[in-house]
Amino acid sequence: MFRSKVKTLFLSLSVTILAVSLISYPQESFDASIRGLNMWWEIVFPSLLPFFIVSEMLIGFGVVKFIGVLLEPLMRPLFKVPGVGGFVWAMGMASGFPAGAKFTARLRQEGHLTQIEAERLVSFTNSSNPLFIFGAVSVGFFYNPHLGVLLALSHYLGNICVGLLMRFYGKESPEVASEKRKKFKVRSALSALHQTRLKDNRPIGKLLGDAVNSSIQTLLMVGGFIILFSVINKLLYHLHITATLAKAVEVILSSISFPEMLSIPFISGLFEITLGSQLTSQVQDATLLQKAMMTSFILGFSGFSVQAQVASILAQTDIRFQPFFIARILQGIFASLFALILWKPIYMRFNSNEQPSNALPVSFFGQGSWADHFYHKMIEIGPLITILSLMVYVLLLFARLKNQKS
């Protein structure tokens, strides 16, 4: 009872301070809000929407169940999750946050995962997509496309280590233990695909409409969190809370011979990965290795903004958030260690004649490459895609309300 009262008092006080801060710093709050909005409607919405819609249709048509049966012999021994986890893992890597959480929650609602399996799966299927790591971080912030290879390898290897570690989380039920001894074949996979399609007897038009509606609702929620945490991060800086927290971080950084100037980027990165990565790249006193390790931790931890998005999605199911949060800390640590381990064999080996940090060599991921071109093209046409998609969503919502009345 006492803990409940303390929690109520803390939450009420926090929201009150936030409201007062918004009134006290209206211009700063507005600028931060615009920054979050631009990030959402230029990059996040148009890049995630196709993945969300297609995944909903794949689940409805039974393709995910088909993939799950085929991947069962791989995913079950490695991560102790059903084969459908392979689909979630691949889509999570390709599309980025918070796709892994959305697909895991969807499969849990469909009954393809137990609660423990879902908590294992969501812990290692949420990651930054390659476009963000190469386009935004390595090229956009560090002006060093070769660094993207190191960051990506560290990030995804850290992800795999978390998955292997989380296989020891929880206990399997007897039904699951007997399930994993079954040998699945292509014929069984095709049968599972057909049976799943028969159970979901919605017409194609209805299935597509539901996929668009569900995907846009999720992305609207994601946009709200991005804008909110962009404002919170800015207000914490102006309230000198970031600087106060940074003092404690400076002690830890000094103990591992990292410059104290990385403390504020680290605190900022705990709240929002984009700002944290950008501020880390601008620290002059740190070596590139130290900045790569710090950025790897920030990308692995994902930031409270992404974690709040995931928590909101998981709240629709019985999947607990705590295992996901612990997994983010572990991935941040693993990713930093891999950045250190792979520095010489990966980065230094292929960049022995390293150019200055402000020089952008033309490469597969450099300036003029497909990744750089796609990233900037997304910024140009992203808002148009977002607006058109929202118009479609409004029309579908209006048609659904009209049908309900009639």
Side-chain angles (χ1 to χ4, degrees):
M1 187 65 180
F2 176 75
R3 289 182 60 184
S4 178
K5 290 181 179 179
V6 171
K7 182 178 180 181
T8 301
L9 182 62
F10 173 76
L11 293 176
S12 302
L13 185 61
S14 300
V15 173
T16 303
I17 293 175
L18 177 61
V20 173
S21 302
L22 288 171
I23 298 172
S24 303
Y25 299 97
Q27 185 60 46
E28 291 81 357
S29 301
F30 178 77
D31 293 339
S33 180
I34 292 297
R35 176 183 174 277
L37 178 62
N38 288 336
M39 185 192 310
W40 175 72
W41 83 326
E42 289 178 353
I43 300 296
V44 175
F45 189 99
S47 62
L48 286 182
L49 182 62
F51 286 98
F52 281 8
I53 294 176
V54 170
S55 68
E56 289 283 343
M57 297 187 69
L58 289 174
I59 294 172
F61 288 139
V63 178
V64 172
K65 185 64 176 178
F66 172 80
I67 296 173
V69 173
L70 292 180
L71 293 181
E72 186 81 13
L74 173 66
M75 299 299 293
R76 183 70 69 179
L78 282 177
F79 306 111
K80 283 191 177 179
V81 296
V84 290
F87 165 80
V88 179
W89 193 18
M91 295 295 282
M93 281 189 177
S95 54
F97 308 112
K102 176 175 171 57
F103 302 148
T104 302
R106 183 76 167 82
L107 292 176
R108 173 60 182 150
Q109 293 169 341
E110 293 284 326
H112 298 299
L113 301 167
T114 65
Q115 181 186 21
I116 295 297
E117 288 172 344
E119 290 170 356
R120 289 175 187 159
L121 184 61
V122 77
S123 67
F124 71 96
T125 55
N126 283 269
S127 59
S128 295
N129 63 46
L131 179 63
F132 177 76
I133 294 176
F134 286 102
V137 179
S138 63
V139 175
F141 298 155
F142 283 92
Y143 303 105
N144 189 341
H146 300 294
L147 187 64
V149 178
L150 177 71
L151 294 176
L153 281 175
S154 302
H155 188 67
Y156 296 126
L157 286 174
N159 227 342
I160 294 173
C161 287
V162 170
L164 294 174
L165 194 62
M166 290 299 291
R167 74 187 302 276
F168 301 104
Y169 166 77
K171 295 182 179 180
E172 292 180 323
S173 62
E175 294 81 5
V176 174
S178 61
E179 182 76 13
K180 70 179 181 181
R181 289 194 291 267
K182 294 182 179 179
K183 293 183 179 180
F184 295 104
K185 298 180 181 179
V186 175
R187 182 178 297 179
S188 300
L190 291 172
S191 175
L193 183 149
H194 181 62
Q195 293 300 322
T196 304
R197 176 69 191 100
L198 291 179
K199 289 179 181 178
D200 190 345
N201 57 0
R202 289 175 294 174
I204 295 180
K206 179 70 164 57
L207 183 64
L208 179 60
D210 291 344
V212 172
N213 186 59
S214 173
S215 301
I216 293 182
Q217 282 184 351
T218 302
L219 287 171
L220 287 172
M221 178 270 296
V222 169
F225 276 113
I226 291 175
I227 294 172
L228 175 63
F229 275 86
S230 180
V231 173
I232 290 176
N233 211 350
K234 192 73 171 179
L235 292 177
L236 288 176
Y237 175 79
H238 285 284
L239 292 173
H240 305 291
I241 296 177
T242 302
T244 303
L245 295 174
K247 293 295 181 182
V249 176
E250 288 176 4
V251 178
I252 301 175
L253 293 178
S254 299
S255 65
I256 57 176
S257 302
F258 272 55
E260 296 178 354
M261 293 295 292
L262 285 172
S263 58
I264 290 183
F266 176 77
I267 295 298
S268 299
L270 292 182
F271 286 88
E272 209 272 305
I273 57 176
T274 306
L275 182 60
S277 302
Q278 184 179 25
L279 292 177
T280 301
S281 68
Q282 296 170 353
V283 176
Q284 299 295 328
D285 297 338
T287 65
L288 187 57
L289 172 59
Q290 291 171 336
K291 290 191 281 189
M293 292 178 64
M294 181 65 71
T295 304
S296 294
F297 181 88
I298 291 172
L299 291 173
F301 184 72
S302 307
F304 295 132
S305 174
V306 170
Q307 292 182 22
Q309 299 167 28
V310 172
S312 178
I313 294 172
L314 298 185
Q316 303 170 18
T317 67
D318 59 353
I319 305 173
R320 289 166 292 195
F321 175 74
Q322 185 178 6
F324 174 82
F325 178 75
I326 295 174
R328 299 283 61 76
I329 299 175
L330 293 175
Q331 186 179 348
I333 296 173
F334 283 137
S336 296
L337 292 176
F338 275 117
L340 176 63
I341 294 170
L342 298 176
W343 177 255
K344 287 186 178 180
I346 298 296
Y347 186 82
M348 294 301 293
R349 181 180 178 183
F350 296 103
N351 296 276
S352 55
N353 299 322
E354 188 176 352
Q355 302 183 16
S357 60
N358 61 349
L360 266 177
V362 177
S363 67
F364 188 66
F365 293 106
Q367 192 175 32
S369 68
W370 70 269
D372 180 63
H373 176 73
F374 183 77
Y375 180 75
H376 287 91
K377 181 61 67 175
M378 185 66 72
I379 293 177
E380 292 177 9
I381 66 173
L384 179 61
I385 296 175
T386 304
I387 292 174
L388 292 175
S389 301
L390 291 176
M391 290 175 62
V392 172
Y393 171 70
V394 171
L395 291 175
L396 289 173
L397 189 61
F398 178 77
R400 178 169 297 185
L401 292 174
K402 186 176 180 181
N403 291 332
Q404 289 178 353
K405 291 181 178 179
S406 60

